[in-house]
Amino acid sequence: MYGFEAMTFNIHGGYLEAIVRGHRSGLLTAADYNNLCQCETLDDIKMHLSATEYGPYLQNEPSPLHTTTIVEKCTLKLVDEYKHMLCQATEPLSTFLEYITYGHMIDNVVLIVTGTLHERDVQELLEKCHPLGMFDSIATLAVAQNMRELYRLVLVDTPLAPYFSECITSEDLDDMNIEIMRNTLYKAYLEDFYRFCQKLGGATAEIMSDLLAFEADRRAVNITINSIGTELTRDDRRKLYSTFGLLYPYGHEELAVCEDIDQVRGVMEKYPPYQPIFSKLSYGESQMLDKAFYEEEVKRLCLSFEQQFHYGVFFAYMRLKEQEIRNLMWISECVAQNQKSRVHDSVVFIF
Amino acid sequence: MADHGGGGCCPPMDLFRSEPMHLVQVIIPIESARLTVSYLGDIGLIQFKDLNAEKSPFQRTYASQIKRCAELARKLRFFKDQMSKADVKSSAKSEAKPEFNFDELEIKLGELEAELTEVNANNEKLQRGYNELVEYKLVLQKAGEFFKAAQSRAEAQQTEASSQQAAEDSLETPLLKDQDSTADQGKQVKLGFITGLVPQGRSMAFERILFRATRGNVFLRQSSVDEAVIDPNSGEKVEKNVFVVFFSGERAKSKILKICEAFGANRYPFAEDLGKQAQMILEVSGKLSELKTTIDAGLSHRANLLETIGKQYEQWSELVRKEKSIYHTLNMLSIDVTKKCLVAEGWSPIFATQQIQDALQLATVDSKSQVGAIFQVLHTKELPPTYFRTNKFTESFQTIVDAYGVAKYQEANPGVYTVVTFPFLFAVMFGDWGHGICILLATLFLIFREKKYSSQKLGDIMEMTFGGRYVILLMALFSIYTGLIYNEFFSVPFELFSPSAYACRDAACSEATTIGLIKARDTYPFGVDPAWHGSRSELPFLNSLKMKMSILIGVAQMNLGIILSFFNALYFRNPVNVWFQFIPQMIFLNGLFGYLSLLIIWCTGSQADLYHVMIYMFLSPTDDLGENQLFPNQKTVQLVLLLLSLIAVPWMLLPKPFILKAQHNRIHQGQSYTPLEGTEESLQVEAGHDSHDHEEFEFSEVFVHQLIHTIEFVLGAVSNTASYLRLWALSLAHSELSTVFYEKVLLLAWGYNNWIILIVGIIVFIFATVGVLLVMETLSAFLHALRLHWVEFQNKFYEGDGYKFAPFSFALLVDEDE
């Protein structure tokens, strides 16, 4: 029923859309960031944040603050908001909201598995996990020795199970395997999410397919750059690219054979939407690529708020909030380590 | 600017014009700054301007002090949290002055917090040990039961098996079976087991994972614990299961251990030997009772500590709140380049000047500063804030006006009239002296318990009712008055002032019919004659009465509004508004509706149709009036009035914009030719504030504005008058509703002569009266009275674009925080 969402959307989605738009207006603005960047100590940051939506979450923290506390409390706020929305959501919005967290789940799985591989304490690892990607029995991941066990023991109960079908091998886990697993899972996840959004149809499908395509393309570029100079074969590399997005399929063919960053650049510059991103970078540089991508993503996410009656706003809000927390973390880290000159390196203004 | 002493047209009135204000500058030496601001906060009559608006909060001078205050506030919140957890109530505010200053308090709170956290940590440690022991004991008991049951079953099996063997000593498989059982026994010895507790919610997943991880080579027994156990790690109450896992092999063991860890299952050692078990249980019980006494001692210590905190908690938190607000205010002051003094700017009412100077002097003396603070008045063109000195009676009425818009500085305040007209208009719609008495009783209850209620926190709705108690009081009194005029008491008429003026012509005239009444006595002295009630002509008579009354009241109130605009024009010395707004408006309104009102008053009792008169006055003013001729020369009078009204419209519309334009041009020309006038001092002061004064004069904008204003007034004169008819409509609805409840419920129930029905009827009547008439009708009449004031009355003169005086005051601080 494309174009007719306005008639029925508000029956179930109206309240939550209002909520999420309200949350969005609580995001920090450029003025806030300017003030935050001038802070001298973490207490200053706390003082400034206490005048924002984060106030209640930070006000009871005793004074010698740490970056981790700030980030933890800010994440707690995001999680509280997410849980509230999830509680209120009906189908299919609740499934949509759950899809948003799968990415974190994959990251958490990888984090735990890598951690146990390097003999870290499970509790310590659990604390590092993103709270949105937690599931029951996540700690049990430490028991598994190889992918097959991983799947059979734990992940079969989680929503990630179907994504595993491509990477069940009996090989022992090592860093390389885990990284491949992460990318395979992510690929399957993105494709599944994409299909789900297509099924929802309407404005949701339109907007989400844009956002997810951007995500898929960004991952493809990252995979390519990260795998340059490793023993990953071209075919293996191509297998990790998601089967949708602007680069699919011809761009993938070209990316798969790239041998250095300038070749990647050459491939990407054929695609008009990505031209401005790469034109900002000087040749041979890949450090600032992440930030350029983040900026582009934030721009696209903000634009999705321009349209009404679709679920893309929830995805966009969660992403923007995560970006905001990343910003806060970077600023706090810079302030704490007296590196204020570098504050602007990685902060992405949202408005 | 007409700022000092008014335009001389009227005597000073407290509530009619807002307090004259001035912008003052105070230069405070830095050493006495804190004390000065604190004394000013006690007075609470100065609104500081933020002179550091461009600085972010942490760049300001006193940011570190504010941080300290925030830290103290956090500690206090921590205490409060702990107190509420331990059920210790903080004692009510004591009037005694806190005998310590800020620094001492900071040290003291720090010590207390450290002590409290230490006590808490100790208690927690003990509690944790205690909880572990409780769990251990549970494990011992439950697992002991498993083993006992298993043993008895095994014995039973063995005896059964042996008896079977004995009985069925067949030839087929005796040897094999024997081997099996011995082999089993042999294996059993090597089995290891783990016991512990797992949260009940996760027990299923736990079992499943165990099964998967060991490929089914485990034997798990679980049994639920009846009561929730406090988890030693989290300190929360959780429902738990005791489990025993049997397994074989080292690898399985390490896997199971990892799984246990992952599921937060607490493991406890367990001896297989029965005797050892009993001994362990005894040991654990002993330890438990020991720990219990230690924990109790710790808890009582903690309670004592909290008790002492609770005694002074309110004092401390007030001190911290004050301190924080002082530093916030200090942060708004700009600091001198020499860093020796702070410069404050703010609005204060002129009458408070002496008070403020006294406070400044006192602060200088008390802080033993060598230099006194300097107080001086600044001249500015900025619009001062609006400040009315209200008391507890007028406050709620002023709130009604402020809810629409805060008055412009020194413009006529409709609040003065609202005190009377608001409850009166309400009462016109709510005329019933029975209902009025009910509301009066309710509001008197609130007023008598004023002292008690004002100090405590009330619910949302209660708070609103309590805030408006004096409004409701007047509303009730006025509705008793109008109720007496309408002669309604729960819709029952009473012959209060004298018997009815009408009587039956003869004995045959029954009570039910009212035809054939003759006037027997003098006219009923006050209000409506009770004989009208229940008669067939009751409605037409009352409707005509109330409708005419509504129009009279409406025209009177609208005239009052226009006259107030005249007072405003006079006060602000604005002759244009007098000649080209006030006068044509008066002519227009009174030429049409003032004339109607006069007809209503003069021609009571005549047969003329007033609608007809009004309508044909427009449609065919020259036609013959026929039977509507009320007085000689009526046609000429009407023609003149109509012409005057018609002239009034362009009079309102056209001249004012042109005159404004001419004025503007004149001022502008004058300015360009004589740029330097006045003393240097005023120039200096004004230089800062003058820049935004040269607004562009857009003729088209002013003209459109005037056009809209005129159209609004002309159409409004008709529609607002019609709008006042709501007085009649609501009053009608009210009396009809109460008649329905009285006749169709109470009298109907009465008619059955059955006491059960009567009781039900009375209950229904009471609920309907209270719910519908006393609550809902009050609300709706209130809303309509509100609308008549906001729209019909205030749009004639009220600008309402001022801003409220928000002084820095400790007294207001407390309400704000709670």
Side-chain angles (χ1 to χ4, degrees):
Chain A
M1 277 246 293
Y2 183 58
F4 290 92
E5 295 99 344
M7 284 169 69
T8 52
F9 183 87
N10 279 348
I11 299 171
H12 292 298
Y15 171 66
L16 282 175
E17 188 176 357
I19 291 270
V20 83
R21 280 174 192 273
H23 283 326
R24 190 203 78 131
S25 52
L27 290 173
L28 300 180
T29 59
D32 286 319
Y33 283 120
N34 280 335
N35 278 333
L36 283 173
C37 291
Q38 291 167 6
C39 288
E40 296 288 340
T41 63
L42 289 181
D43 276 339
D44 287 346
I45 292 184
K46 175 187 163 190
M47 193 164 163
H48 187 86
L49 286 182
S50 62
T52 65
E53 302 273 307
Y54 290 113
Y57 285 84
L58 282 171
Q59 67 173 0
N60 282 338
E61 288 311 305
S63 211
L65 276 173
H66 298 290
T67 317
T68 42
T69 338
I70 293 180
V71 173
E72 199 178 292
K73 292 292 161 185
C74 296
T75 315
L76 183 66
K77 180 170 185 290
L78 172 66
V79 174
D80 283 352
E81 285 166 1
Y82 173 79
K83 281 189 180 149
H84 175 76
M85 291 195 288
L86 189 64
C87 283
Q88 301 288 335
T90 50
E91 281 297 330
L93 179 55
S94 52
T95 315
F96 183 88
L97 286 174
E98 276 163 7
Y99 263 108
I100 296 176
T101 64
Y102 294 168
H104 292 296
M105 255 184 223
I106 296 172
D107 287 342
N108 285 352
V109 168
V110 171
L111 178 77
I112 300 258
V113 173
T114 327
T116 24
L117 205 64
H118 296 281
E119 312 271 318
R120 295 283 196 74
D121 181 38
V122 180
Q123 285 304 323
E124 192 186 316
L125 290 171
L126 282 179
E127 273 163 27
K128 279 189 189 160
C129 283
H130 197 286
L132 278 182
M134 290 302 237
F135 49 90
D136 262 0
S137 70
I138 186 167
T140 337
L141 287 171
V143 181
Q145 298 293 325
N146 58 32
M147 303 252 196
R148 192 180 292 281
E149 265 188 14
L150 204 60
Y151 175 72
R152 249 178 16 90
L153 268 183
V154 191
L155 295 175
V156 71
D157 287 337
T158 66
L160 299 183
Y163 308 150
F164 247 86
S165 53
E166 279 185 47
C167 59
I168 299 176
T169 53
S170 309
E171 283 175 58
D172 274 356
L173 292 166
D174 60 38
D175 281 342
M176 179 82 170
N177 272 339
I178 292 173
E179 207 46 44
I180 291 177
M181 176 185 86
R182 181 214 293 271
N183 285 309
T184 328
L185 283 179
Y186 223 98
K187 169 195 171 184
Y189 156 62
L190 280 180
E191 283 169 5
D192 189 32
F193 197 7
Y194 184 78
R195 271 195 303 278
F196 175 73
C197 291
Q198 293 300 324
K199 209 172 74 199
L200 288 177
T204 306
E206 186 190 10
I207 283 165
M208 282 309 292
S209 61
D210 271 1
L211 293 176
L212 288 175
F214 179 75
E215 178 79 20
D217 292 344
R218 182 173 69 177
R219 288 198 76 84
V221 173
N222 280 339
I223 290 168
T224 314
I225 293 175
N226 289 338
S227 64
I228 288 169
T230 59
E231 58 216 36
L232 202 68
T233 62
R234 287 175 182 179
D235 278 343
D236 283 344
R237 194 194 280 178
R238 190 162 49 225
K239 266 190 211 155
L240 298 177
Y241 300 151
S242 309
T243 55
F244 64 97
L246 213 55
L247 301 175
Y248 177 79
Y250 304 113
H252 287 172
E253 296 293 332
E254 289 182 59
L255 275 182
V257 298
C258 285
E259 293 296 343
D260 60 42
I261 176 95
D262 285 335
Q263 285 180 6
V264 176
R265 188 193 179 103
V267 174
M268 295 303 283
E269 279 185 340
K270 289 179 193 162
Y271 292 87
Y274 300 119
Q275 247 170 13
I277 295 178
F278 280 84
S279 65
K280 279 186 216 155
L281 307 173
S282 52
Y283 275 90
E285 184 190 26
S286 61
Q287 307 294 325
M288 297 298 283
L289 186 63
D290 271 343
K291 191 188 176 194
F293 266 122
Y294 277 136
E295 274 172 359
E296 176 71 15
E297 187 190 12
V298 162
K299 208 162 74 194
R300 285 165 183 248
L301 292 172
C302 284
L303 281 179
S304 75
F305 279 92
E306 300 298 315
Q307 201 170 335
Q308 231 189 321
F309 309 125
H310 64 93
Y311 293 157
V313 284
F314 297 97
F315 179 79
Y317 173 69
M318 298 298 285
R319 281 299 166 94
L320 286 175
K321 196 80 181 174
E322 280 160 24
Q323 180 61 44
E324 183 174 296
I325 292 169
R326 272 198 296 275
N327 288 344
L328 284 177
M329 178 155 78
W330 178 261
I331 293 173
S332 319
E333 219 34 88
C334 285
V335 169
Q337 299 179 3
N338 259 330
Q339 297 273 330
K340 281 185 64 186
S341 53
R342 296 191 57 205
V343 159
H344 287 280
D345 286 1
S346 169
V347 173
V348 180
F349 289 177
I350 294 179
F351 296 115
Chain B
M1 284 296 301
D3 40 7
H4 296 297
C9 68
C10 28
M13 278 172 77
D14 266 353
L15 207 53
F16 190 63
R17 306 271 175 207
S18 65
E19 287 297 330
M21 308 288 269
H22 53 192
L23 185 66
V24 298
Q25 189 182 43
V26 188
I27 302 171
I28 315 167
I30 208 153
E31 64 268 18
S32 65
R34 203 193 70 82
L35 207 61
T36 309
V37 170
S38 150
Y39 284 166
L40 290 178
D42 282 331
I43 298 176
L45 280 173
I46 185 161
Q47 174 181 357
F48 287 100
K49 269 185 168 179
D50 192 355
L51 301 176
N52 300 324
E54 77 287 351
K55 280 190 188 166
S56 55
F58 49 84
Q59 287 171 328
R60 299 186 178 201
T61 329
Y62 290 94
S64 60
Q65 273 87 339
I66 286 188
K67 261 183 237 166
R68 273 168 63 195
C69 290
E71 183 66 18
L72 286 190
R74 186 195 61 76
K75 280 178 187 157
L76 285 173
R77 273 198 301 274
F78 172 68
F79 291 150
K80 178 148 203 172
D81 191 43
Q82 293 288 325
M83 270 163 22
S84 66
K85 265 186 196 158
D87 254 353
V88 178
K89 293 229 163 46
S90 59
S91 57
K93 273 177 215 171
S94 52
E95 293 303 314
K97 269 241 170 206
E99 67 277 20
F100 28 71
N101 65 23
F102 190 63
D103 298 321
E104 288 168 32
L105 182 67
E106 192 172 14
I107 296 167
K108 177 144 193 171
L109 287 191
E111 280 169 6
L112 279 175
E113 196 201 10
E115 193 178 347
L116 193 59
T117 27
E118 202 191 318
V119 169
N120 277 349
N122 283 342
N123 272 354
E124 210 168 285
K125 223 192 274 170
L126 288 175
Q127 196 73 42
R128 194 187 158 121
Y130 180 77
N131 289 335
E132 268 175 7
L133 281 179
V134 168
E135 287 200 340
Y136 191 19
K137 196 175 168 190
L138 276 170
V139 169
L140 285 176
Q141 284 168 348
K142 291 278 175 183
E145 277 170 30
F146 289 152
F147 277 85
K148 244 182 250 167
Q151 215 163 30
S152 58
R153 210 169 32 236
E155 271 166 17
Q157 238 168 22
Q158 226 158 30
T159 48
E160 203 183 328
S162 55
S163 63
Q164 253 181 7
Q165 234 175 9
E168 283 182 38
D169 205 1
S170 70
L171 290 167
E172 283 168 46
T173 52
L175 274 171
L176 241 159
K177 207 168 186 178
D178 212 43
Q179 258 178 356
D180 261 5
S181 60
T182 49
D184 269 354
Q185 273 165 357
K187 257 186 201 163
Q188 249 168 19
V189 180
K190 279 184 224 151
L191 280 183
F193 65 87
I194 292 173
T195 52
L197 282 125
V198 66
Q200 211 159 66
R202 307 174 75 177
S203 65
M204 287 302 288
F206 180 61
E207 189 168 351
R208 199 159 56 227
I209 298 282
L210 275 180
F211 184 83
R212 278 190 207 135
T214 55
R215 299 166 196 240
N217 290 326
V218 283
F219 179 70
L220 177 77
R221 286 297 297 269
Q222 298 200 44
S223 99
S224 63
V225 178
D226 307 325
E227 284 169 25
V229 198
I230 298 171
D231 189 64
N233 292 326
S234 63
E236 282 164 27
K237 276 207 162 186
V238 194
E239 302 254 321
K240 284 198 168 185
N241 276 357
V242 174
F243 67 84
V244 186
V245 197
F246 297 90
F247 57 86
S248 63
E250 271 309 302
R251 272 188 67 169
K253 182 173 180 180
S254 72
K255 268 186 191 172
I256 291 172
L257 284 181
K258 268 187 184 170
I259 292 172
C260 284
E261 202 179 323
F263 274 86
N266 304 319
R267 288 171 287 109
Y268 296 97
F270 183 77
E272 231 176 313
D273 186 22
L274 272 176
K276 256 190 188 168
Q277 277 175 29
Q279 195 191 334
M280 293 280 261
I281 290 184
L282 266 178
E283 222 170 275
V284 168
S285 312
K287 269 189 199 164
L288 270 179
S289 58
E290 248 171 62
L291 261 180
K292 182 84 188 149
T293 48
T294 330
I295 288 176
D296 283 346
L299 281 181
S300 73
H301 177 125
R302 178 163 175 265
N304 280 340
L305 191 62
L306 286 175
E307 203 85 39
T308 47
I309 292 173
K311 268 183 203 144
Q312 284 175 305
Y313 175 78
E314 287 294 335
Q315 272 181 14
W316 291 342
S317 71
E318 197 181 322
L319 185 73
V320 169
R321 233 174 2 230
K322 270 191 185 174
E323 214 55 40
K324 196 174 176 190
S325 69
I326 288 174
Y327 286 118
H328 265 301
T329 312
L330 283 174
N331 267 343
M332 296 209 283
L333 314 186
S334 72
I335 194 155
D336 192 74
V337 267
T338 57
K339 304 233 169 186
K340 292 239 172 69
C341 51
L342 290 166
V343 181
E345 272 181 37
W347 296 103
S348 82
I350 286 173
F351 73 83
T353 311
Q354 192 54 45
Q355 258 178 300
I356 291 173
Q357 275 169 341
D358 288 348
L360 292 178
Q361 222 137 41
L362 195 63
T364 314
V365 175
D366 282 0
S367 63
K368 300 189 185 69
S369 163
Q370 282 163 1
V371 200
I374 302 167
F375 177 89
Q376 61 186 30
V377 177
L378 299 178
H379 295 283
T380 174
K381 284 196 170 178
E382 255 178 279
L383 205 63
T386 310
Y387 175 46
F388 294 109
R389 272 195 280 180
T390 51
N391 52 28
K392 65 181 176 183
F393 180 78
T394 48
E395 192 192 358
S396 42
F397 292 98
Q398 190 61 44
T399 315
I400 289 177
V401 174
D402 284 350
Y404 176 80
V406 176
K408 202 167 79 179
Y409 178 61
Q410 298 235 308
E411 86 170 311
N413 177 19
V416 181
Y417 304 94
T418 307
V419 174
V420 176
T421 52
F422 185 84
F424 178 66
L425 287 190
F426 170 85
V428 170
M429 294 179 268
F430 198 77
D432 190 314
W433 57 280
H435 296 152
I437 285 172
C438 292
I439 294 182
L440 183 67
L441 291 179
T443 184
L444 282 181
F445 173 76
L446 285 181
I447 288 172
F448 284 130
R449 311 195 67 176
E450 195 173 70
K451 278 231 172 77
K452 186 175 169 235
Y453 280 153
S454 53
S455 62
Q456 73 190 56
K457 208 163 161 47
L458 305 162
D460 232 6
I461 292 176
M462 191 61 188
E463 182 117 28
M464 243 188 307
T465 325
F466 181 70
R469 61 196 180 281
Y470 288 106
V471 182
I472 301 175
L473 174 74
L474 282 197
M475 288 179 347
L477 290 176
F478 276 103
S479 44
I480 292 173
Y481 168 72
T482 50
L484 288 173
I485 289 183
Y486 296 160
N487 207 341
E488 300 239 26
F489 177 87
F490 296 104
S491 90
V492 186
F494 276 85
E495 299 188 335
L496 272 185
F497 300 100
S498 77
S500 170
Y502 300 93
C504 284
R505 191 177 299 155
D506 46 42
C509 141
S510 74
E511 259 187 278
T513 106
T514 45
I515 302 165
L517 288 178
I518 53 159
K519 196 170 174 188
R521 277 171 286 271
D522 284 344
T523 316
Y524 193 69
F526 185 83
V528 175
D529 194 306
W532 283 105
H533 186 77
S535 67
R536 217 188 300 168
S537 49
E538 183 196 7
L539 267 187
F541 168 71
L542 283 180
N543 282 351
S544 154
L545 172 80
K546 288 176 177 173
M547 223 187 296
K548 284 171 179 167
M549 193 178 67
S550 308
I551 288 180
L552 291 183
I553 291 172
V555 170
Q557 202 183 17
M558 286 191 291
N559 269 316
L560 175 65
I562 301 175
I563 289 170
L564 285 180
S565 83
F566 168 69
F567 282 133
N568 270 344
L570 221 55
Y571 188 82
F572 293 114
R573 307 235 170 87
N574 194 347
V576 179
N577 277 358
V578 177
W579 292 107
F580 303 104
Q581 200 156 309
F582 166 67
I583 290 178
Q585 282 185 354
M586 277 308 261
I587 290 174
F588 186 84
L589 184 71
N590 289 316
L592 303 177
F593 295 100
Y595 172 63
L596 175 66
S597 307
L598 285 185
L599 287 185
I600 288 172
I601 294 169
W602 275 342
C603 311
T604 21
S606 85
Q607 291 291 313
D609 184 355
L610 292 182
Y611 301 127
H612 211 258
V613 176
M614 280 308 283
I615 290 168
Y616 281 92
M617 184 173 154
F618 289 101
L619 291 185
S620 47
T622 51
D623 273 10
D624 196 32
L625 285 166
E627 59 177 12
N628 289 328
Q629 178 90 24
L630 292 163
F631 53 93
N633 290 334
Q634 190 183 356
K635 199 154 75 180
T636 336
V637 171
Q638 285 187 359
L639 263 176
V640 170
L641 286 177
L642 190 63
L643 279 178
L644 276 176
S645 307
L646 283 182
I647 293 168
V649 177
W651 187 356
M652 264 183 266
L653 171 65
L654 296 173
K656 195 180 162 190
F658 290 103
I659 289 172
L660 285 182
K661 187 178 159 76
Q663 267 178 359
H664 182 260
N665 282 345
R666 206 166 49 234
I667 290 168
H668 228 63
Q669 263 178 348
Q671 257 181 0
S672 56
Y673 285 122
T674 55
L676 283 171
E677 222 181 280
T679 63
E680 257 178 45
E681 200 182 315
S682 72
L683 261 177
Q684 267 180 350
V685 175
E686 276 170 26
H689 304 286
D690 238 1
S691 50
H692 54 85
D693 209 47
H694 298 295
E695 286 162 25
E696 279 296 304
F697 186 84
E698 284 256 0
F699 180 72
S700 59
E701 206 167 287
V702 173
F703 189 80
V704 168
H705 188 256
Q706 187 65 22
L707 185 71
I708 292 171
H709 212 73
T710 310
I711 293 175
E712 198 187 314
F713 181 82
V714 171
L715 294 184
V718 181
S719 67
N720 290 352
T721 311
S723 185
Y724 275 97
L725 289 178
R726 73 184 66 234
L727 293 176
W728 155 60
L730 264 100
S731 151
L732 175 72
H734 185 84
S735 71
E736 288 302 305
L737 266 178
S738 55
T739 313
V740 166
F741 290 138
Y742 176 69
E743 280 178 4
K744 299 294 173 206
V745 178
L746 203 59
L747 290 189
L748 199 73
W750 189 270
Y752 277 101
N753 266 333
N754 181 334
W755 60 271
I756 297 177
I757 295 182
L758 186 64
I759 287 174
V760 171
I762 288 176
I763 289 173
V764 171
F765 175 73
I766 288 175
F767 273 97
T769 305
V770 171
V772 177
L773 291 174
L774 291 182
V775 176
M776 304 249 289
E777 276 280 293
T778 311
L779 275 180
S780 88
F782 186 96
L783 282 180
H784 283 281
L786 203 61
R787 183 224 144 93
L788 286 178
H789 277 85
W790 281 356
V791 180
E792 273 75 23
F793 175 51
Q794 291 182 4
N795 78 359
K796 300 287 184 292
F797 66 100
Y798 191 54
E799 306 232 6
D801 56 354
Y803 62 103
K804 230 178 173 166
F805 179 55
F808 167 63
S809 155
F810 291 144
L812 296 174
L813 202 68
V814 183
D815 308 343
E816 217 172 84
D817 222 55
E818 281 164 6

